[in-house]
Amino acid sequence: MKKRFYSPKRPYKKSEHRPDIKPMKPGSDKSLRHVFEKIGTPDQNQFRPDPFQIQALKAIKQSDCLVTAPTGSGKTWIAEQVARKIMQQKGKVWYATPLKALTNSIHAQFSKLFGKENVGILTGDIKENTDAAIVIGTTEILRNQLYDAMHTGENLTFDLIILDEAHFLGDEQRGVVWEEIMIYLPVRIPLLLLSATIGNPFQIAKWLESIRGKKCHVIEEHNRPVPLFPLFLHPSGTLFPLMQKKIKGKKQILHKKVFKFDHTKRPRMSFAGKLPPFGDILRILDRYHLLPAIFFLKSRAECDQAIKLCNSNLLSRNPEKKEALFNKINELTSGNPHLANHNQRKYLEQTATASHHSGHLPAWKVVVETLMADGLLDAMFATSTVAAGVNFPARSVVVLNSDRFNGVEFMPLTPSEFAQMSGRAGRRGMDNIGFGIILPGKFMNLKHVATLNNAPPSDIESQITINFSMVLNLLLSHTPDQIKPLLEKSFASYLILSEKKKGGKARKKFGPDLEFLWLDFIDHMDFLAEENFVTDNGKLTEDGLWASKLRLDSPLLVAQSIRENLLPQTDPALLAAIIASFVNEKEFTDDPLYNKALPKRLKEAFLNARKGLKPFAIKLLKKGFDAPNLFIQPSLLLYSWAHDEPWENLVTQSDFAEGDFARLILRTGENLRQISKLEESFPVIAKTAKDAIVCILKEPVVTFSSET
């Protein structure tokens, strides 16, 4: 039996008194009457840009520009206008986003505006029309192009770089990629950064000025084009304002009735392991014209369970919408049996609600996103990952928890996280007003939410780290002496130096200082030298040259496997299977390595790779570097998938959710794509890698044709 671990901040009680919750009856505080009167769609007058948008267009003509403005205020419009101008001048634009879903969304939007022939897309999965005037892609692809440009000495042929969702500079896992782009980007190419949640934009602008030697204008806008009104939904079904102004002062506090509720032992709306009555809640929100809504829940399981509780009859009262929804679902799933027979389709059709999270197939998420964007859904239940990037037209956002699981523990929501979530409510040109609705669930701290309501976004800190792929690619085009000045350009170094100039102490949260970065770089380079990827004076060896092309999470393990002939050379399915063990992120306690039903060829190939890599992995670990455990379960899944085992069988029999399995396949495909670049050094395995990609990138994981 598996052990279950619970955060100390959320003690698990085996038996908890759960009083019967009475049916909720719609009601509203009389003070809300004038607020609800504002609900509606604004008149479709001719669009007039806001002053901050005009200022941004003027600024980017002269210098770099950082635009920080609330979600839905029209930052993408700025990008559209700048791109149009550059395209008219026969120039080229690179539009980088952190998410594939956002990349696909911007690509579709720009293709409608500028014509498909003028817009390309470049991600790990799709490569189309890359010579177009406007290329939309992920930041990792842009960073890799900068590596190539530094190596060949050729400049990027772009006249503007747009970095959307620029607050990802502070992302713990991926912020280093954003920082590298800003450091390596040629000064001649203007940089336009867009974000809704940067607390220290002027600090970032000053850093950019210090490393690029040119002005970076900051354009700030604090007012939302669509006002956001916070509400509190009482367990009885009555809506109250969440906040009220102090009589003597402008600072807002909890509304007196909400404050009273919070300080009495009233029944909460949900308990551990039990969700609120979403059917009742939807009827209340519909009564006051607060739909469509996005509900933010804490887990995938809750999202999937929530749609089963939406037993309202809202859709039956709107036969035209019901028919339009049914027809659109048929259109979106036509020709794809897996989507057409998806186990959540009936809830879409019967309740106009959907679950959206990373456990779903990318193609199914596109179905849900399209229905929501077309205004055909009443509610979408999502994890907080949907808060960033993709544009969903919702009148209301409903928040049930004041904390969030960060992968390790539950932590209180930060101002930036709350702003990303609430920012989805009320879209420019579609709503006169948006609503952020707070539900008093078991893990809702109303006082904390009150502080978040008007809190400024969090400051962005440097997340730069040294990794083997970075070291190999920098040594491809620089000597060690030339690399140290590059590290001096890090945002962390700038923050620490600025603090010291003020007479303060350098805080650890700023990121690693230059000395630490340089020593870390030397440690990585020394290990590469010991393993003959680098010479003693810092030049790449023949092995180092081809290994630098492996821009992966574990480039050295893959490179060692290739040069020691530990990977299958001529069997595409077997190669895909072994590579899957490198990209897998799950830990397994019951890995079926000694299961008699395991294919003999797979077991032999896996054990050969793991045994051959063990000495190298031990060296990595002794030097303080990561060396992931290799499990055979992901290999078995990929092996079976490459041999056309039905998708439903594999998902049912494994520990992987559909979305996780799809992500394993896509990441394996990306690793294989990197290996396929080694045609000159390893032509046999490079060809096998290309064949392996074809074996695994198929429906329902991939539902489009793409160039590889």
Side-chain angles (χ1 to χ4, degrees), residues 453-502:
N453 192 54
N454 289 309
S458 308
D459 284 356
I460 300 296
E461 306 292 351
S462 175
Q463 301 296 334
I464 192 165
T465 54
I466 305 297
N467 57 65
F468 284 114
S469 184
M470 177 197 293
V471 174
L472 286 167
N473 279 277
L474 287 179
L475 290 174
L476 191 62
S477 52
H478 298 75
T479 66
D481 288 342
Q482 291 171 328
I483 291 170
K484 190 171 185 179
L486 281 179
L487 298 180
E488 288 178 355
K489 293 183 177 182
S490 74
F491 187 36
S493 295
Y494 173 81
L495 292 173
I496 291 169
L497 185 61
S498 298
E499 190 76 6
K500 287 181 177 178
K501 285 181 178 178
K502 296 176 184 176

Side-chain angles (χ1 to χ4, degrees), residues 29 160 316 493-494 575:
D29 188 78
L160 175 71
S316 62
S493 295
Y494 173 81
L575 177 59

Side-chain angles (χ1 to χ4, degrees), residues 98-99 164-172 174-176 178 388 460:
L99 307 169
D164 203 353
E165 305 292 335
H167 53 274
F168 265 77
L169 173 64
D171 184 80
E172 189 172 343
R174 299 175 62 199
V176 59
W178 295 73
I460 300 296

